Amino acid sequence: MDIHRLRAFPEVVPNRAPVRPGGGTQPCAAGKSLSCKDFFGLSTEQVALYYDHHFEILNTVWNTLDTSSMDISELQHRLRQFAAERDWQPYQTPKNLAMAMTVEAAELLEIFQWLTPEQSLDLSDEQRRHLGEELSDVLLYLVQIADHGGVDLEAAVERKLTMNAIKHPPRS
């Protein structure tokens, strides 16, 4: 879906004006601006995602109903490009990425920290949105670790599933 064809939310379609360094809001169509609070409120809507001056505006639509499959190689390419555009390559080592993934995994765990098992199965929309964000962080770091560590993640997953099936056969 192309955000430029969205007419229901014209106030969130980005204009391509340069971002003002140090600005607290991001300019958007019709001269409107989004505060940080308003931006974070958008993340649960199926509309274009906005990022403040610390991030580029992404031409992405938040679509939780998308059923397309994920291409790991393409994702790795996009992550390498993202890091290169920010000169982050020196920091993209398997060790650093694993440490960062561990921090994100702790943030994932924090969502469930004081919930009962029953409550963990019945998350609110806000909790589910947060869960998706933290799962995405963990996955993105995991994919980068595999890429920088020279691991074919798809082949490794298939091998591990086969090993688990042999180690833990079904009960007869």
Side-chain angles (χ1 to χ4, degrees):
M1 178 181 256
D2 180 21
I3 66 170
H4 299 291
R5 289 187 295 171
L6 289 176
R7 297 292 176 233
F9 302 99
E11 68 275 6
V12 297
V13 177
N15 77 24
R16 293 294 180 186
V19 176
R20 292 171 284 126
T25 60
Q26 174 61 48
C28 59
K32 296 181 181 179
S33 295
L34 292 176
S35 68
C36 287
K37 179 182 177 201
D38 292 335
F39 159 71
F40 287 110
L42 287 174
S43 64
T44 59
E45 301 291 333
Q46 292 185 355
V47 295
L49 294 179
Y50 264 85
Y51 286 82
D52 204 336
H53 69 278
H54 298 290
F55 301 94
E56 67 184 322
I57 296 174
L58 299 178
N59 186 12
T60 304
V61 174
W62 183 270
N63 186 355
T64 57
L65 303 177
D66 188 4
T67 59
S68 64
S69 61
M70 185 181 305
D71 181 341
I72 300 291
S73 297
E74 174 60 23
L75 181 56
Q76 289 173 326
H77 171 76
R78 289 174 59 195
L79 290 166
R80 282 192 304 272
Q81 184 177 2
F82 186 87
E85 290 169 351
R86 289 152 183 81
D87 296 322
W88 289 353
Q89 302 98 321
Y91 313 105
Q92 301 283 303
T93 65
K95 177 191 93 55
N96 287 349
L97 293 166
M99 290 185 340
M101 186 186 72
T102 302
V103 171
E104 295 301 337
E107 291 179 15
L108 173 63
L109 180 59
E110 187 177 32
I111 295 169
F112 300 104
Q113 185 173 11
W114 302 113
L115 299 181
T116 65
E118 294 78 19
Q119 290 170 324
S120 73
L121 294 170
D122 188 29
L123 299 177
S124 69
D125 289 344
E126 174 62 22
Q127 288 170 314
R128 194 171 299 106
R129 181 197 57 77
H130 188 198
L131 176 63
E133 291 171 0
E134 298 307 335
L135 286 168
S136 297
D137 286 338
V138 171
L139 177 66
L140 292 173
Y141 279 117
L142 178 70
V143 167
Q144 290 178 88
I145 293 165
D147 188 28
H148 293 281
V151 173
D152 178 340
L153 197 53
E154 292 178 57
V157 166
E158 287 301 322
R159 181 172 183 269
K160 186 62 177 176
L161 287 172
T162 301
M163 291 170 52
N164 285 346
I166 293 168
K167 185 176 179 181
H168 306 284
R171 295 180 187 180
S172 359

